[in-house]
Amino acid sequence: MKRYLILFLLTFQGLMAQVQFEARVSKNTLGLNERLRIDFIMNVDGDNFEQPSFDGFKMVAGPSQQISQSWINGRSSFQKIYSYIIQPERKGSITIKQAAIEFNGQIYKTNPIKVTVTNAVAQERDPNDRPQGSGNELLNLVAEISKTNPYLNEPITVVYKLYFNNIGVTGFKELAKPKYNDFWNQNIDIKQLSVQQGSYQGQQAYYVILKKVILYPQKSGRLTIEPLSLDIGVQLPTNRRDMFGQMIITEDNKVVSAGAKTINVRPLPESSKPEGFTGAVGKFNFTVTPSKTTLKNGEGLDLIVSAQGTGNMKLFTLPKPVVPNALEMYDPVHDEQVTTSLNGMSGRITDKYTIVPQYRGKYAIKPMQFSYFDLSTGTYKTITSKEIMIDVLDGPTPAEANTGATAKNVVAKADEFKNIKSKTALIPIEKKDFYDSNLYLGLLFAPFIIIPIIILARKKKEAMDNDVTGNRIRMNNKLAKKYLSQAKKHLNNKEPFYIALEKAMHNFLKAKLHIETSEMSKDNIRELLLSRNANAETVQNFIALTENCEFARYAPASSASIQQDYDKAVMIISELEKQIV
């Protein structure tokens, strides 16, 4: 009975000592200008920690690592924590994805955490560090709209200006991009930001044009432009002075928004809308031009249909020509030569049709009509092209072509049964017995060959499974090669490169020295490597490169220095492979 009780207690203790790996955040709801601490906590010495991507956040600090181990009343406890400080980049519900570790060949992951980000909140500061200001500071983001009640497909512009006065601006970043639902939109490039003088609500101020957009409404009714929000870095004086009596300037961040804008889009008049109107709005010229009108047999022509002017050039279709059946017309090649500025789109759009005549004769391409809505007069206008006559000088006429086709059909019917053979050669079909075939013999003797192979493979697998130390060494060797390969792939991406390189070097040590992560102190590594006949200089280079990996992840580094660190790691690992006994 006592034996069973001991076995039960050991089993229960094993169940209680299960691996725990979880993520904890300092708060689940925070403002856009606040910071969040997240800890990844494990109760075992897990390897190959994989941090989440933190999409929607920017990294402020981390990772920092803490390890604690205690032994109380015969029971040991272990805890390792990876900590990060992050700040949200947008509002809404953001999910922090899973982190992962590896322990005894198993992968463990944390649960995803949802964090709600609200508008920026007021934060308490040290009274001495509060900006003093003069009360006349101005910092405002404005979206200036050229027209708030346009017609459907009439261009409007949105210019985003940042007004400021009596305040220093050090930089900005977008927190929320404007959304132009139900608008065709295009940004107008700003080559260089420049400070200009102006006025805001009767007060003199400076301003910077940050963004220009041209919009074409695609739906009538009330349309909303979602706001642009910015995080502005500012400088303001405080109540403190330096040793020379100068006012100390403090840096701060302020969140500004242009606010949502509503556009009332008027529909185009229905009562006078021409037949065949395809949505052109603006002012246009319309032409239909053939490359030639006189053709020989086998020649073709290009018919160019084009509209030129100012308006929604990319948002309507050109009319399609109607040609006689005797002219074969191919699908058009569409071409756009359009430029977009704050005044809207202007240029030329063209459909080029290739037309090939089938018979001799004269053929008319009917006049084409193109309609557009003229914004200057508020009315529809229609342009009609001239009729085009095509003269085909030679080739068959339609009557001759029909006669030739009939003659061919008659000849084909006369020859329809001419080549049917009247004699047949019959060949006997040979039938082989399956029981005398090679397939039958192979299936018969296959078990006697496969069964011994299965037995040998199973014994080999059992031997490998029982070799715990060997399996760990092989796994660490495999991981070292894997992460070294990953480091090579990230030569152009500094932080992933140094994470992978550090993991490769750690797993190499674990494979060669049979140690765990908790034993990887600098002195212990040096002592173990030197005891295994490693060269002292090589050992020092290995330790120095390992320490450099953590520092280099956050320090500026060129692609040349990253390549040098990779080459150095390959050389050091290769030398230690030869030296360690």
Side-chain angles (χ1 to χ4, degrees), residues 214-227:
I214 184 78
L215 304 177
Y216 283 85
Q218 300 299 293
K219 188 172 76 172
S220 59
R222 292 172 61 87
L223 304 183
T224 301
I225 299 176
E226 298 293 332

Side-chain angles (χ1 to χ4, degrees), residues 512-528:
K512 295 301 178 185
L513 303 181
H514 309 163
I515 61 175
E516 297 302 324
T517 304
S518 57
E519 301 175 85
M520 286 190 183
S521 66
K522 181 170 64 175
D523 294 335
N524 193 30
I525 291 171
R526 180 182 287 106
E527 182 181 347
L528 288 172

Side-chain angles (χ1 to χ4, degrees), residues 19-34:
V19 176
Q20 295 179 356
F21 183 42
E22 61 178 338
R24 297 178 189 169
V25 292
S26 56
K27 58 180 75 175
N28 291 98
T29 301
L30 71 158
L32 192 61
N33 58 333
E34 292 186 299

Side-chain angles (χ1 to χ4, degrees), residues 284-289 303-309 313 316-319 321 334-335 337 347-353 368 370 383 385:
F284 304 96
N285 290 324
F286 176 71
T287 58
V288 181
T289 309
L303 187 67
I304 300 173
V305 181
S306 67
Q308 183 176 1
M313 302 293 295
F316 62 84
T317 57
L318 293 169
H334 185 73
D335 180 56
Q337 298 176 1
R348 178 189 184 97
I349 61 172
T350 301
D351 284 341
K352 182 169 71 173
Y353 295 85
M368 299 173 61
F370 172 73
I383 302 174
S385 67

Side-chain angles (χ1 to χ4, degrees), residues 353-369:
Y353 295 85
T354 298
I355 298 176
V356 179
Q358 303 297 306
Y359 311 113
R360 183 173 72 247
K362 292 186 177 182
Y363 306 96
I365 298 178
K366 295 181 179 180
M368 299 173 61
Q369 289 187 335

